[in-house]
Amino acid sequence: MITTLIGRTFLKRYNKEMGTNLSAKDFVSTIFFEYFFNHTKYFIWQTNSPFVQGVRKGKPLTPKERKEKLDNLHEKVEHVTPDASFAIGFPAAEEKEFATTSGLVTDLNIQVSEEDIYYSWIGVGLGIGVAGGYCLLINDEEILWRLFQGWKIYRELLNDPTLKRMSPQQVNTWNGQWLTYVLGKDYDPDFDFNTLVSYELLKQTDKLIEVNTINWSNLFFSLSLLYPNKVLTAYVYSFGKTNKTIGFIPLYLKSATRLIDLFKTLFPYTENQFKANEFQSLFGIHIKRACELGVIGLRALRPESLKKYLNNNQNLKFKKEEDFLNYRIYKTWLIAMISSNKKETLAYTEQIAKLLLEYRKGAKKNDRANLIDKQLFSSNTKKEFIAALVEIIPSLTAEQVVLLKELRDRVHLMNSEEFTYFKTLLKFDYAFIEKQN
C-alpha cells in the first residue's frame, strides 16, 4: 500500500537524521502519537479508527483515555485482520465486496506485517492537501523530511493558549501550506504567527483560525525550486466517507522552471511588483482536470481564467489592475505553449498587433474594427482567420502586405492547438497596445 511505502521511506530518513533505530511501531507509539493524538486537539480525524471510535468531536479525552486509544490500536494490529479502520489506505472490512471507503483494492493475497500497518499511519500523516479536496503522497525522503519538520510548528499552533480559536484536524492541509512555504523563495526562518497570516497560510476571523488550502500550482512551483529539472511521481487521492483514488501522476517540475524563466525574460521590471504566491496561484486548472491529462506539466498549468478567452471574441479590457497582471500571466503561458522560438514570437505578435491597429485607424467607420474583432479574432479555424486576412490586405501598404502574407503562411503551418494559442496571444497584444496608445 502506498501509505506503507511512504511511511517506510520517511522512517528510514528519520532514523538516519536522528541517529536512532526506531521500528514503525516505536515511532507511532511515541513520536507520532505525541504529535497527532496525545492532546486535546487532534492532528487528524481518521474515520472509524481506534483514536476516534466513541469520541465526540469537541469533547476532548483525558490523558488516560488517549493512552487507552493507543492500546486499542496495538491490540487490533496484533490480533485483527487488517482493514481500513486501523490500516490506513487498506480496504474496508467486507466479507463479500468492498465498501466505498475501500482504497487500493486488489484480489491478490498480499501478506501484510504489523510493521506495514504502523507505516501506513505515518504515511497518511504525510499526505499533502491541495485545493479541490485531494491529497498527494510523494515518495521522496527530502520532501517527507520537510513535512515532518512542519509537524512541530502545527502542534505549537494548536497548543498555543493565545490561539484557542485554532481549528484542529487539518494536518494534511497544513502539510500543503508548510511545504509550499518552506521551499519557496519567501520563506523566513524567523517567521511568526503574523507572517503565516500575511502569507495566507492561516486565515483568522473573530471566531476561528484555520489553515487555508493551498493551490496545487503554488505547491508545484515550490517543488520546482527544490528540483528544477526533476520528474516526481505523486499518488493523488482523497480519504473520507467515500475514498477517491486518481492514481499515480508524474509531475514535470521543469514546466514551472520554464514559466518562471520566461516570465523574467518577458517582464524583467515587474517581477517584484507582487508576491510569488500571487503569481503562482494564477496558473493551473482544477487538480482533477489536471490529473486527467495523465501528467502534470505545462498544459496543466494553463491559467484557469484563460479558458473564457479561448475560441471566442472576448478580450481583456485593461480597466482593472488585475487585467494587467492576468495579461502577463496569460502571455507567459501562451508563449511557452507555442513551439516556435519564444523571443521571436513575442516580437512577432506585437508587430502584427501594431499593424492591425494602424489598419483600423485608417477607417472612418467601424467596418475595420468589426473585421478585426468579429471576424479575425472570432475565427474558430485557420481557414476563417486567413479569409479575414485576405479582406484586410487590399488596404495595406506593400510592406504591410508582405508581413500579412508571412502571417498567413505561418498560420497555415500551425496545428489547431497552436493556432488557438497564437490567435489568443495576438488578441491580447492588440488590446494591450491599444490601451497603451
Side-chain angles (χ1 to χ4, degrees):
M1 301 298 177
I2 184 63
T3 49
T4 295
L5 175 63
I6 296 296
R8 184 181 292 113
T9 299
F10 165 76
L11 189 56
K12 180 181 178 181
R13 174 64 178 265
Y14 178 88
N15 283 328
K16 178 181 177 182
E17 292 285 343
M18 306 304 290
T20 56
N21 190 31
L22 296 179
S23 66
K25 180 179 180 180
D26 292 337
F27 184 86
V28 170
S29 301
T30 55
I31 311 299
F32 185 89
F33 175 66
E34 185 60 32
Y35 275 125
F36 276 67
F37 297 113
N38 198 20
H39 300 271
T40 57
K41 290 184 176 181
Y42 280 6
F43 260 25
I44 194 170
W45 189 269
Q46 197 63 43
T47 304
N48 295 326
S49 73
F51 292 108
V52 304
Q53 287 176 343
V55 180
R56 289 190 296 172
K57 289 186 178 181
K59 188 178 181 180
L61 302 179
T62 65
K64 181 181 178 180
E65 289 172 329
R66 294 196 292 267
K67 179 61 168 60
E68 289 173 353
K69 293 296 183 184
L70 178 61
D71 292 339
N72 289 343
L73 173 64
H74 293 325
E75 182 73 15
K76 283 198 169 187
V77 172
E78 187 175 351
H79 298 291
V80 180
T81 301
D83 65 58
S85 69
F86 65 95
I88 312 305
F90 284 55
E94 293 288 332
E95 294 184 0
K96 296 182 178 180
E97 60 182 14
F98 294 108
T100 56
T101 50
S102 296
L104 303 175
V105 175
T106 177
D107 58 1
L108 298 177
N109 185 19
I110 300 175
Q111 296 298 315
V112 178
S113 69
E114 291 183 8
E115 279 289 276
D116 287 340
I117 297 174
Y118 288 112
Y119 279 131
S120 75
W121 278 94
I122 302 172
V124 78
L126 294 165
I128 307 166
V130 296
Y134 287 90
C135 284
L136 283 65
L137 286 172
I138 302 176
N139 189 32
D140 179 275
E141 66 173 40
E142 182 62 30
I143 291 173
L144 298 177
W145 181 249
R146 301 292 185 98
L147 290 170
F148 168 71
Q149 292 174 322
W151 287 359
K152 178 181 178 182
I153 310 302
Y154 186 49
R155 175 46 66 193
E156 289 175 353
L157 291 169
L158 289 179
N159 288 2
D160 192 328
T162 67
L163 302 177
K164 293 182 179 180
R165 295 172 291 152
M166 186 76 189
S167 180
Q169 303 159 18
Q170 286 191 283
V171 70
N172 295 133
T173 304
W174 167 259
N175 285 344
Q177 283 286 8
W178 171 253
L179 186 61
T180 301
Y181 178 57
V182 77
L183 294 179
K185 290 184 176 180
D186 296 328
Y187 173 65
D188 180 0
D190 297 322
F191 69 88
D192 56 17
F193 175 78
N194 291 328
T195 304
L196 300 180
V197 172
S198 66
Y199 279 95
E200 298 183 352
L201 275 75
L202 302 178
K203 176 176 63 177
Q204 64 173 337
T205 65
D206 293 338
K207 297 182 179 180
L208 186 67
I209 300 172
E210 60 182 350
V211 183
N212 279 320
T213 310
I214 196 70
N215 290 320
W216 71 261
S217 59
N218 289 86
L219 173 66
F220 191 86
F221 277 98
S222 289
L223 288 172
S224 75
L225 296 176
L226 179 64
Y227 297 125
N229 299 301
K230 197 169 184 177
V231 179
L232 294 174
T233 299
Y235 177 75
V236 185
Y237 69 97
S238 174
F239 288 161
K241 292 182 178 179
T242 300
N243 287 349
K244 300 175 184 177
T245 299
I246 289 183
F248 295 92
I249 304 295
L251 308 178
Y252 284 79
L253 301 179
K254 190 174 182 179
S255 299
T257 306
R258 286 176 60 192
L259 284 174
I260 293 172
D261 292 342
L262 181 56
F263 183 84
K264 290 178 180 178
T265 300
L266 296 177
F267 310 105
Y269 304 110
T270 62
E271 181 187 355
N272 297 319
Q273 291 183 8
F274 47 88
K275 295 179 181 178
N277 62 341
E278 181 183 2
F279 165 82
Q280 296 165 3
S281 66
L282 293 173
F283 289 97
I285 58 180
H286 189 282
I287 182 64
K288 187 176 181 181
R289 302 283 86 79
C291 291
E292 287 175 354
L293 297 172
V295 300
I296 292 183
L298 196 57
R299 193 179 302 276
L301 285 167
R302 189 199 76 198
E304 183 68 40
S305 56
L306 175 60
K307 183 179 180 179
K308 62 185 177 183
Y309 297 105
L310 299 172
N311 292 319
N312 62 47
N313 62 353
Q314 189 172 349
N315 207 344
L316 289 167
K317 302 298 184 183
F318 294 102
K319 292 182 179 180
K320 303 177 182 178
E321 182 59 33
E322 65 184 60
D323 289 336
F324 291 90
L325 175 57
N326 286 336
Y327 168 69
R328 297 176 188 128
I329 299 298
Y330 296 162
K331 185 163 186 171
T332 300
W333 185 83
L334 288 167
I335 291 180
M337 286 298 295
I338 297 172
S339 59
S340 59
N341 182 278
K342 312 305 180 199
K343 291 185 178 179
E344 179 185 338
T345 301
L346 168 64
Y348 187 71
T349 54
E350 290 180 354
Q351 185 182 18
I352 297 297
K354 290 176 182 177
L355 184 156
L356 293 174
L357 284 167
E358 289 180 13
Y359 165 76
R360 195 193 72 181
K361 290 177 181 178
K364 295 181 180 180
K365 299 180 180 181
N366 292 328
D367 54 336
R368 293 187 179 184
N370 290 335
L371 176 57
I372 294 171
D373 294 329
K374 297 182 180 181
Q375 290 183 239
L376 189 71
F377 292 151
S378 298
S379 55
N380 293 318
T381 65
K382 294 188 293 182
K383 182 178 180 181
E384 292 173 355
F385 186 87
I386 292 173
L389 290 180
V390 171
E391 290 191 43
I392 294 173
I393 285 178
S395 302
L396 302 181
T397 65
E399 183 179 352
Q400 290 173 328
V401 168
V402 171
L403 191 59
L404 276 206
K405 286 185 177 179
E406 180 187 349
L407 173 60
R408 176 201 61 191
D409 295 340
R410 285 194 181 205
V411 169
H412 179 71
L413 295 174
M414 293 177 185
N415 60 42
S416 297
E417 186 177 54
E418 287 177 335
F419 165 68
T420 298
Y421 297 151
F422 178 85
K423 183 195 69 174
T424 305
L425 175 60
L426 177 60
K427 178 171 64 175
F428 289 158
D429 278 339
Y430 176 86
F432 178 75
I433 294 172
E434 179 184 25
K435 182 66 177 180
Q436 299 302 101
N437 294 334

